[in-house]
Amino acid sequence: MDKNKSWIVTTGDDRPIHEVAKDLVDAGLKDVQVLQDVGIITGSAEDDTVAKLRKVRGVKDVSADLSINIGPPDSRETW
């Protein structure tokens, strides 16, 4: 069973985002996507890897990527 979860990494502007992404991969982040215009990197990793990700220079925050379902139009349930 896959223990990886999706994560959103917010970066600062003190390092190029692609350098931060490389270091995140080296720290264990997989399936990396760099969203340069907004300073975000997404990827997947196990829970115990997150502490390493947070220590990468240039990382401001690492948060779980939660899925949201707003439901079909006119639906009473939104979550």
Side-chain angles (χ1 to χ4, degrees), residues 1-58:
M1 186 160 135
D2 189 14
K3 296 180 183 179
N4 285 340
K5 293 181 181 178
S6 295
W7 299 95
I8 299 172
V9 180
T10 305
T11 64
D13 57 2
D14 54 333
R15 289 183 72 195
I17 194 167
H18 291 287
E19 288 181 14
V20 177
K22 181 189 175 307
D23 289 349
L24 288 168
V25 169
D26 292 344
L29 190 66
K30 301 174 183 164
D31 306 317
V32 173
Q33 291 186 338
V34 177
L35 306 171
Q36 185 168 352
D37 291 339
V38 292
I40 299 290
I41 299 169
T42 63
S44 61
E46 294 185 17
D47 285 334
D48 59 354
T49 304
V50 174
K52 292 180 197 175
L53 302 178
R54 288 188 172 123
K55 292 179 182 178
V56 170
R57 190 169 58 90

Side-chain angles (χ1 to χ4, degrees), residues 59-78:
V59 169
K60 299 300 179 193
D61 183 59
V62 179
S63 299
D65 185 7
L66 305 174
S67 63
I68 296 177
N69 182 353
I70 60 170
D74 300 324
S75 174
R76 289 182 176 207
E77 297 207 20
T78 58

